[in-house]
Amino acid sequence: MSARVIAPRNRGFLYLDSHPGGCQQLVADMWQAVPDPAPAPQDRERPVALILGSSAGYGLAATIAGLKRAGIRGIGVCFEKAPTERRSATAGWYRTAATADLARQIGADMTWLNGDAFSDGMKEQVAELLAQRYGGKLDYLIYSVAAPRRTDPDTGTAYASVLKPIGAPHRTKTLVFEDGAPVIREVETAPAEGDDIEQTVAVMGGADWERWIDHLGDRGLLADGFTTAALSYIGSPLTAAIYRQGTIGAAKGHLEATARTLNERLDKLVGGRAVTSVNGAAVTQSSTAIPSIALYVGLLRGVLGDSLVPPIGQLTDLWDQLTGTTPLVLDNDGRVRLDTWELTDDVQAAVADRWHQATTATISDLANLDWFHAEVQRLYGFSVPGVDYHAAVETDTPWPTTT
């Protein structure tokens, strides 16, 4: 047994341990937030789905909403660390275990693979599972992989992504917490240089997504009407210089161009389609690392309150569109837009007004910092209502077996 009391210990937005009970409750809360699906014919088989990046953020939301709302079975792939004598497992490890328990309860045949989604070894492992366990045909693939580095399987070249503006330095406000107190600082980020853009595109663009489709397609594993969606973000003009107009934005542009290429190919191959899903802002482990995003999201919550749509609500909407429960609505660039609630003129004007007023002295009145701070903690299983954080909790949770 390895039960112990786990207290939050952090360095900035990074926490050193995660709480198994909090992660389990968080998954349960997300499950409850998904509406029940309409009754389906009893003889209709669950669609087979592959979720890449299934343990965190939008990928976790895609997995939970897919299980409950779309009735999926299939495979979730993520990259998490097991518990040790000194440290808990990563939060995604515990969230995966909790999601697996829910899948088991509803009788969904799910397999959970822990490893590098960029590798050809993982692609082949998934292909073998699809062929041997899931009838040899995949109906849906959701691509939600966020990682700082990627090794090209063909060349062995290692690429690293960077968060930089393009063309000129960018100075912006950012939110930090010093001894728990919110502080507004101005930071300057140097522009991309050398091959920074190419490296970032190689990691976060569409190359790996396309490689997955090619690998599974070459094995004849794509069902008629196969649909794939890669998750993307555009965001506010306030963050555009460091995000959409920066190196990350170049990668997202490549991802969206890849969707158009894949869409044409899949239409001819299996009558299928490929889209990108542009999601709204959220507090994720990836987003908190981007200068200005923390400030922006806190201000956005201050403006919208409970009208800010969480990832589980957005991914429920996406599954409804992908499965035909509601019409699939695409913009002129072939993207599903789940961010319209964020980017309306009135919301952006209100956030911009607060942004310009934001100082260390005023930020607590302008942004919902209690919500933001709690959201960061919830990424690691802390600050989840209904959890007794004074009680010892078992940390040695096994990786889920196939349900």
Side-chain angles (χ1 to χ4, degrees):
M1 295 293 289
S2 51
R4 60 187 176 93
V5 175
I6 303 178
R9 295 181 299 146
N10 64 298
R11 297 169 184 160
F13 294 138
L14 177 65
Y15 282 69
L16 305 181
D17 281 306
S18 55
H19 195 284
C23 293
Q24 182 179 36
Q25 184 61 52
L26 181 69
V27 167
D29 292 344
M30 292 175 69
W31 184 271
Q32 289 301 316
V34 179
D36 291 329
Q42 291 187 353
D43 60 347
R44 191 172 77 183
E45 196 170 33
R46 290 176 177 269
V48 178
L50 169 62
I51 314 294
L52 300 173
S54 60
S55 62
Y58 285 104
L60 175 67
T63 307
I64 293 171
L67 282 165
K68 185 174 180 181
R69 184 71 175 170
I72 65 168
R73 59 193 175 109
I75 304 167
V77 177
C78 55
F79 204 179
E80 300 295 345
K81 292 182 180 179
T84 66
E85 290 184 2
R86 297 185 58 194
R87 292 278 184 266
S88 71
T90 51
W93 181 284
Y94 297 128
R95 289 190 296 254
T96 299
T99 307
D101 285 343
L102 291 172
R104 190 177 297 110
Q105 290 172 25
I106 64 170
D109 180 2
M110 289 294 296
T111 302
W112 312 92
L113 300 178
N114 190 22
D116 182 6
F118 292 142
S119 71
D120 279 356
M122 179 59 75
K123 292 176 177 63
E124 185 57 23
Q125 189 176 356
V126 167
E128 287 297 316
L129 266 173
L130 289 171
Q132 296 175 13
R133 187 179 182 90
Y134 295 104
K137 294 296 180 181
L138 181 67
D139 297 296
Y140 298 99
L141 188 156
I142 305 295
Y143 191 90
S144 181
V145 179
R149 289 171 294 278
R150 170 177 173 258
T151 298
D152 187 310
D154 287 331
T155 66
T157 303
Y159 298 101
S161 62
V162 295
L163 292 161
K164 291 184 178 181
I166 295 175
H170 176 60
R171 193 167 185 83
T172 186
K173 292 179 178 180
T174 195
L175 172 67
V176 297
F177 289 88
E178 294 182 352
D179 297 325
V183 176
I184 300 297
R185 288 181 180 163
E186 284 207 353
V187 295
E188 183 171 294
T189 306
E193 56 185 7
D195 63 352
D196 282 345
I197 299 173
E198 291 78 7
Q199 292 251 349
T200 305
V201 169
V203 177
M204 302 186 70
D208 184 62
W209 182 28
E210 185 170 18
R211 195 178 186 90
W212 271 101
I213 301 303
D214 287 345
H215 190 92
L216 300 177
D218 289 346
R219 289 282 301 267
L221 295 170
L222 304 181
D224 290 342
F226 167 78
T227 296
T228 183
L231 307 188
S232 187
Y233 182 66
I234 292 176
S236 168
L238 293 166
T239 61
I242 196 68
Y243 195 90
R244 192 65 190 192
Q245 296 168 9
T247 53
I248 300 298
K252 294 301 185 184
H254 184 273
L255 186 75
E256 291 163 11
T258 301
R260 293 188 286 272
T261 299
L262 288 175
N263 191 60
E264 293 180 6
R265 189 185 311 169
L266 289 171
D267 180 49
K268 295 176 182 177
L269 182 65
V270 291
R273 63 192 174 197
V275 298
T276 49
S277 168
V278 182
N279 297 89
V283 179
T284 67
Q285 286 165 288
S286 299
S287 70
T288 54
I290 304 173
S292 75
I293 294 293
L295 173 60
Y296 169 74
V297 177
L299 293 170
L300 182 66
R301 177 71 182 197
V303 169
L304 286 175
D306 290 340
S307 295
L308 189 150
V309 183
I312 193 65
Q314 296 177 45
L315 269 295
T316 297
D317 187 0
L318 178 62
W319 274 116
D320 281 356
Q321 293 195 45
L322 296 182
T323 58
T325 300
T326 59
L328 180 67
V329 179
L330 304 177
D331 68 8
N332 292 334
D333 293 310
R335 303 174 297 196
V336 180
R337 298 301 297 269
L338 304 178
D339 60 346
T340 52
W341 54 270
E342 176 188 349
L343 297 184
T344 62
D345 290 343
D346 57 339
V347 168
Q348 285 300 306
V351 175
D353 182 59
R354 294 184 182 214
W355 177 283
H356 296 307
Q357 295 180 54
T359 65
T360 299
T362 63
I363 186 59
S364 295
D365 295 325
L366 300 171
N368 191 332
L369 296 183
D370 289 342
W371 169 86
F372 177 83
H373 196 256
E375 284 292 289
V376 172
Q377 290 193 314
R378 280 191 278 271
L379 296 175
Y380 301 89
F382 299 104
S383 290
V384 180
V387 177
D388 181 1
Y389 291 100
H390 298 291
V393 62
E394 175 61 45
T395 62
D396 194 14
T397 302
W399 187 255
T401 57
T402 300
T403 56

